[in-house]
Amino acid sequence: MNIALIFAGGIGSRMSSQNLPKQFLEIHGTPLIVHTIQHFQEHPEIDRIAVAILPAWRERFEQLVTRYELTKVAWIVDGGATGQESRHRAIRAVSADCPGDAVVLVHDGVRPLIDAQLISDNIRTVRERGPAITCTKGNETIVSSSGDEIDDVLPRDFLYTAQAPQSMRLSTALEIYDSAVADGDDDSIDTATLLKRYGHTLFRVDGPRSNIKITTAEDYYICRAFFDLRERNQIGG
Ligand SMILES: C[C@](O)(CO)[C@H](O)COP(=O)(O)O
């Protein structure tokens, strides 16, 4: 069994989209969260979908589930105060109904350019090797800087950006999220961070550069340009 767990619990504080959370912004007349879920809905290997949503937007989301016939959406949980809490709530809801060896793909609601290949590659990697983290190779030099001076120039050959999906067995997801709470952490950056902290070996799944996360207004316009290209069949997905 393979389950997509979509996190759409954030308010989009880094993007000024008036009062509309960014996951509800539209591209080509369809909300971003629907574009994202449709990739999982249409994927033959995905059985069910869990979504963590802002409590105040739950009703609006439920209407979208009906309108766009997102029939695989089996759990809608209220998002928590942090991304970690939202993901944990969704993992707990899924764990109450599904076996621990199910594969879960944790994905951002605002990464609508995911494609079928990436979903398949995540599932295969978890089944054959272990936890899978979607990555893209860096094509610019990365430096670290804690003040206004550059502390270090990092070796680009070994640098990647971790994206999503971030995937693992359901039992592993529950174990790391429970452990984080027990250890007093309720605001970790992402699933990859927790997997690494609790000693898991992570395997890289190479994804396309187009699988961007919409964080700022600029990202929205870049994403829209990718949608236009896809519509003209100039990139895959
Ligand atoms: C999970 C993630 O997309 C990996 O790059 C990222 O960490 C999510 O970050 P956000 O701050 O919750 O948008």
Side-chain angles (χ1 to χ4, degrees):
M1 175 179 267
N2 304 311
I3 297 157
L5 196 156
I6 315 284
F7 161 63
I11 54 169
S13 55
R14 291 162 290 184
M15 178 157 177
S16 54
S17 50
Q18 273 119 26
N19 293 323
L20 190 65
K22 58 186 177 177
Q23 53 272 36
F24 290 95
L25 290 173
E26 294 187 357
I27 289 186
H28 293 182
T30 301
L32 292 173
I33 181 67
V34 174
H35 280 297
T36 303
I37 293 173
Q38 279 173 334
H39 289 286
F40 294 96
Q41 170 75 29
E42 286 159 18
H43 196 286
E45 291 181 81
I46 294 291
D47 299 292
R48 294 161 91 185
I49 300 169
V51 183
I53 198 84
L54 284 168
W57 288 79
R58 188 188 181 108
E59 201 179 323
R60 168 90 165 257
F61 178 67
E62 285 171 347
Q63 289 163 359
L64 293 173
V65 169
T66 305
R67 176 168 163 212
Y68 287 94
E69 299 181 16
L70 302 172
T71 54
K72 290 185 184 173
V73 174
W75 303 270
I76 301 175
V77 304
D78 286 347
T82 63
Q84 177 182 313
E85 198 184 329
S86 298
R87 288 186 281 271
H88 196 184
R89 286 183 182 189
I91 290 164
R92 277 204 305 255
V94 173
S95 294
D97 295 340
C98 297
D101 67 351
V103 172
V104 279
L105 293 84
V106 180
H107 192 64
D108 302 310
V110 286
R111 274 194 203 272
L113 285 156
I114 183 171
D115 59 37
Q117 184 66 53
L118 202 43
I119 294 172
S120 301
D121 289 349
N122 267 263
I123 294 170
R124 197 187 59 255
T125 301
V126 174
R127 292 198 176 281
E128 292 177 1
R129 307 189 74 193
I133 306 299
T134 304
C135 296
T136 20
K137 184 108 181 66
N139 64 352
E140 293 181 273
T141 299
I142 310 265
V143 302
S144 64
S145 173
S146 44
D148 59 359
E149 288 179 23
I150 289 179
D151 303 324
D152 207 356
V153 179
L154 302 167
R156 194 202 292 184
D157 282 352
F158 305 111
L159 291 178
Y160 293 79
T161 304
Q163 300 186 328
Q166 301 186 347
S167 310
M168 75 239 83
R169 300 278 181 182
L170 179 56
S171 54
T172 303
L174 189 61
E175 169 214 309
I176 59 170
Y177 277 85
D178 282 351
S179 299
V181 173
D183 291 341
D185 181 6
D186 60 6
D187 197 11
S188 58
I189 293 271
D190 62 0
T191 308
T193 304
L194 293 183
L195 283 164
K196 198 72 191 156
R197 181 190 301 164
Y198 292 110
H200 292 274
T201 301
L202 313 187
F203 296 93
R204 205 182 73 228
V205 172
D206 291 318
R209 185 164 295 282
S210 57
N211 179 30
I212 60 167
K213 172 166 73 77
I214 299 180
T215 306
T216 63
E218 290 98 316
D219 298 329
Y220 172 80
Y221 291 107
I222 293 168
C223 184
R224 209 167 70 178
F226 275 119
F227 266 90
D228 292 345
L229 281 173
R230 276 193 179 178
E231 195 146 274
R232 287 189 244 135
N233 287 323
Q234 289 179 9
I235 59 172

